[in-house]
Amino acid sequence: MHWKEVLKMEKLKPVIVDVNNVKPLSFGKEYDSRMILDHSITGRSNVIQINHGTVKKGCALGGASHGEDEIYYILSGSGKLNLDGEIKNIHANEVVFIPAGVFHALDNTGGDCDMTILTFWRDYRYNDAYEERIKLWGKSFKTIDEE
C-alpha cells in the first residue's frame, strides 16, 4: 500500500495490550495461546493478527500445515521445529517464515523452560486458535477479568 493510501484510511486510536492480562486458550497441558492483536481489538479489518504462544517445558505439539503463510518470532526458550520433515534447532530472537502448505511442529521436550513465541498471520481466518476462541468464547479476545 502506498503511503498516500494509508493517509486516506480511517484514523483509529492506538491500542496497547498487556499480554499478562489476556486470557489464554489452553490446548491441553502442552500449549497456551493468547490473541494479542487482531481486527476485533484494533477495529481495522486488514490488520496483521498476532498471537502469543507458550509451548510448555517438556512438551511437543502435533503440528499442522495451513493455506496461508505464518511467521514465528521466538521470544524465549529454545527447541526444535519440524519443517516438512526437516528438524531445525530454534532459539530466542529468531524469526521463522513458514510458507503456506509447509507442515510445521514445535518440540520443547528437551527444553529446560517454556518456549514463548509470537505468531503472525496476514489474515485471522487462517489461524485455527482464532476459530477455537470464537467457538468457545464467542469472540477472539478475552481478558483474565472476563468470565
Side-chain angles (χ1 to χ4, degrees), residues 9-15 39 41-47:
M9 294 173 70
E10 176 187 359
K11 186 173 182 179
L12 300 173
K13 292 182 179 180
V15 176
H39 65 289
I41 298 166
T42 64
R44 189 172 318 281
S45 63
N46 62 347
V47 71

Side-chain angles (χ1 to χ4, degrees), residues 40 130 133-143 146:
S40 68
Y130 172 84
R133 282 183 191 85
I134 298 297
K135 194 166 41 174
L136 290 173
W137 300 342
K139 59 186 183 175
S140 62
F141 177 81
K142 205 171 187 181
T143 66
E146 294 179 72

